[in-house]
Amino acid sequence: MSIGPVQETSATFVGMPAFPEAAREALANTQQRTNLRNATHTIRAKRASVVAEVPEWEALRVAGAQSKDEALHHLGDYLEHLEASLVANGAVVHWARDADEANRIVIDIARSKEVDEVVKVKSMATQEIELNEALEAAGINAWETDLAELIVQLGHDRPSHILVPAIHRNRTEIRDIFIREMGKVGRPAPDDLTDDPAGLAEAARVHLREKFLRAKVAVSGANFAIADTGTLVVVESEGNGRMCLTLPETLISVVGIEKVLPTWEDLGPMLQLLPRSSTGERMNPYTTMWSGVHEGDGPQEVHVILLDNGRSHVLADSVGRQALRCIRCSACLNVCPVYERTGGHAYGSVYPGPIGAILNPQLRGTASEIDQSLPYASSLCGACFDACPVRINIPELLVQLRGTVAQQGGHRAESAAMKAAAWVLSDPKRLAVAQKGATTAGRLIGGRTIRSVPGLGAWTDARDLPTPPKETFRQWWVREHDGRDGDGQARGRADGIPGSEGGLPDSDGDER
């Protein structure tokens, strides 16, 4: 497989400020922070409970990671196998290098059916390519049918969570959106609608029902694509996906190329890992599988668009490719202290949180301010790795990406600091001078805490600067042993380099 280009930043996120600036605005929204904390802590507790029920959980994580790695290491072969299986089952397979190609294929199919609307299953791939916006520009309405996606769409908002796109909204806000917007695009919300969850769900159900029943074309993604059998799999909780995947005459599925699994047996661990990690359920309520066209049953025309859009570029990185194992469960978001406080909009992508911080800079490259800043949107606490069901080492990738950004000249202050450190550490005399300066400062400061340093405001605003030691190890050794070992012989330097007369260098670099 050839190495593909990076993904073009979609129109919605072009010009987004760097993460710190966007996060600062999000942190000022007290209501949003409250909503996020309540939601993420609820999901986190449910996940922990159902994961604890599975003694072989770690073995499942390993099995899931191995299945994805097998597919990624031989991706070209498995994709060709998947295409052959799909075609044998009566599906039409399309290949899309980028968002424009994928959107054009969907629009052409919809126009060939002479429809002005489609219903949609929740799909990160279609959000990534901004399919709704492309369809609207072509005069075709795209109706989101997932409850959270419906809230986001009616609210003219952007998703802020992979699994729960409207996690930043509370029930009162949702009621107001339904009352204000539903009547503009279909059946209005009842006048006496309250913020009772059952009432809100019923209003959405009634609003969507007429759209399900009249739609001729549906658009979906897929959680998994089995190469052996040509089976696509969607897991969901509301039943809207089942309606979209079975009622319309034509089904179009936009599937990222990393969603392929080699065999049917590889699906087993995934169907245990995904629901527990995402919604904290032992099993998701609806699992729909389809494999091509079946006469008299379901859509009679099935199109599958296999989407690259920067994934080949990620695949070319032997370390970074583990990000393509992601099964979009959102477990890393729900345990991330940074996401919990900022929400998803600050990440400048449909992929927020820790997985977004490693996926976006790889898919889109690190040319923009937002993509340069994302690897730093983490405390490196490691909670994301512990929660990831397919063992993506997110902290490792964050550090690697920070190195990439620094080498490219991004984060100028950090780059300058690293170059200065390399210059000092590469020469023993420079290091000794620096140590002498540090210990002198340490003696002057004494036991006081350094709370701010001119020029390091962004760093010291959030944490104290470590107090310099009053004495280095070398200085301590010289003081305690006078530069001699137990036999009274002059010792070499602590770094293993003998002095000119076998003595230990003084703190200023001179030999004693």
Side-chain angles (χ1 to χ4, degrees):
M1 179 178 293
S2 61
I3 299 174
V6 296
Q7 180 185 116
E8 185 174 340
T9 302
S10 56
T12 300
F13 301 107
V14 169
M16 276 283 293
F19 180 83
E21 184 178 343
R24 194 173 298 114
E25 181 179 345
L27 288 170
N29 189 334
T30 306
Q31 182 62 62
Q32 176 174 283
R33 289 174 60 186
T34 302
N35 298 345
L36 285 168
R37 177 178 171 77
N38 290 339
T40 55
H41 281 245
T42 299
I43 300 173
R44 186 190 307 181
K46 288 178 63 180
R47 175 196 171 275
S49 175
V50 296
V51 166
E53 296 173 351
V54 185
E56 66 277 18
W57 180 253
E58 190 58 29
L60 279 173
R61 291 179 76 204
V62 172
Q66 289 177 341
S67 293
K68 296 294 287 189
D69 283 347
E70 167 64 20
L72 293 172
H73 290 160
H74 307 282
L75 188 56
D77 295 333
Y78 285 119
L79 285 172
E80 289 180 359
H81 193 179
L82 173 66
E83 179 185 29
S85 299
L86 286 165
V87 171
N89 293 335
V92 180
V93 176
H94 310 260
W95 296 83
R97 282 174 295 192
D98 54 28
D100 287 342
E101 282 193 4
N103 288 335
R104 189 162 55 250
I105 293 168
V106 176
I107 291 169
D108 288 347
I109 296 171
R111 281 176 171 164
S112 72
K113 302 303 170 187
E114 299 180 340
V115 298
D116 60 2
E117 65 176 358
V118 301
V119 288
K120 285 189 65 207
V121 187
K122 182 181 182 308
S123 159
M124 295 306 298
T126 60
Q127 286 182 24
E128 173 188 319
I129 62 176
E130 299 196 342
L131 177 62
N132 288 9
E133 290 80 358
L135 285 169
E136 183 179 357
I140 301 169
N141 293 312
W143 306 122
E144 295 289 353
T145 61
D146 173 86
L147 177 57
E149 291 285 9
L150 176 67
I151 295 166
V152 169
Q153 185 176 42
L154 290 176
H156 310 287
D157 202 351
R158 287 186 286 119
S160 63
H161 191 278
I162 292 174
L163 185 71
V164 194
I167 196 171
H168 55 294
R169 297 288 192 184
N170 61 28
R171 289 183 292 170
T172 302
E173 291 174 309
I174 294 168
R175 180 203 61 191
D176 294 344
I177 290 171
F178 280 8
I179 291 175
R180 186 177 67 243
E181 299 292 336
M182 273 186 169
K184 298 177 182 176
V185 291
R187 189 180 181 112
D191 294 335
D192 58 349
L193 183 66
T194 69
D195 62 1
D196 174 58
L200 293 172
E202 177 63 15
R205 186 180 296 114
V206 172
H207 176 80
L208 291 171
R209 179 71 58 173
E210 61 186 16
K211 292 179 168 57
F212 284 130
L213 294 178
R214 71 171 183 248
K216 302 296 183 186
V217 176
V219 178
S220 81
N223 293 98
F224 308 103
I226 314 298
D228 249 4
T229 60
T231 305
L232 301 186
V233 184
V234 161
V235 298
E236 43 132 357
S237 300
E238 300 170 14
N240 65 298
R242 181 72 57 82
M243 300 280 276
C244 290
L245 297 167
T246 55
L247 287 177
E249 298 167 357
T250 299
L251 173 61
I252 307 168
S253 300
V254 183
V255 183
I257 57 175
E258 84 283 11
K259 295 300 180 71
V260 67
L261 290 177
T263 67
W264 187 259
E265 286 72 25
D266 293 303
L267 183 61
M270 297 301 178
L271 292 184
Q272 297 179 72
L273 291 167
L274 181 54
R276 281 183 163 83
S277 300
S278 56
T279 54
E281 297 172 298
R282 297 182 182 90
M283 179 180 289
N284 49 285
Y286 296 90
T287 300
T288 304
M289 306 180 188
W290 69 103
S291 51
V293 176
H294 301 274
E295 185 176 355
D297 183 13
Q300 295 302 292
E301 191 170 321
V302 173
H303 296 264
V304 179
I305 301 171
L306 296 174
L307 175 70
D308 188 320
N309 206 29
R311 288 162 175 78
S312 293
H313 180 78
V314 181
L315 188 68
D317 187 316
S318 59
V319 178
R321 72 172 55 146
Q322 61 180 302
L324 296 178
R325 290 184 201 153
C326 179
I327 55 175
R328 310 290 191 261
C329 69
S330 305
C332 61
L333 278 68
N334 299 328
V335 298
C336 177
V338 177
Y339 175 86
E340 179 187 321
R341 287 158 178 79
T342 65
H345 294 160
Y347 290 82
S349 165
V350 298
Y351 301 114
I355 187 63
I358 60 169
L359 197 53
N360 295 314
Q362 293 193 90
L363 286 171
R364 304 190 300 206
T366 52
S368 67
E369 283 192 3
I370 182 67
D371 289 318
Q372 288 177 0
S373 65
L374 287 178
Y376 297 85
S378 169
S379 64
L380 297 181
C381 67
C384 47
F385 172 68
D386 293 338
C388 178
V390 287
R391 294 177 58 82
I392 300 172
N393 195 334
I394 294 176
E396 177 187 32
L397 293 182
L398 287 168
V399 172
Q400 175 175 289
L401 286 165
R402 290 181 185 187
T404 301
V405 171
Q407 288 173 0
Q408 292 176 344
H411 277 258
R412 290 187 290 274
E414 181 175 349
S415 296
M418 291 298 107
K419 288 179 180 176
W423 183 78
V424 171
L425 294 172
S426 63
D427 185 279
K429 289 189 176 182
R430 294 175 195 149
L431 176 60
V433 170
Q435 288 176 327
K436 186 173 183 178
T439 53
T440 300
R443 286 192 288 272
L444 292 174
I445 293 169
R448 289 172 291 177
T449 302
I450 306 174
R451 301 200 184 282
S452 65
V453 174
L456 293 178
W459 201 86
T460 54
D461 281 351
R463 56 182 73 79
D464 296 332
L465 193 70
T467 304
K470 299 176 183 176
E471 187 176 52
T472 67
F473 173 77
R474 290 183 178 185
Q475 291 164 341
W476 172 85
W477 182 270
V478 169
R479 177 169 55 78
E480 291 291 321
H481 301 276
D482 194 25
R484 302 285 171 173
D485 61 17
D487 298 327
Q489 300 297 314
R491 294 177 62 88
R493 291 173 5 181
D495 57 9
I497 302 174
S500 59
E501 297 178 355
L504 192 70
D506 197 354
S507 58
D508 60 1
D510 295 331
E511 300 295 338
R512 290 174 60 91

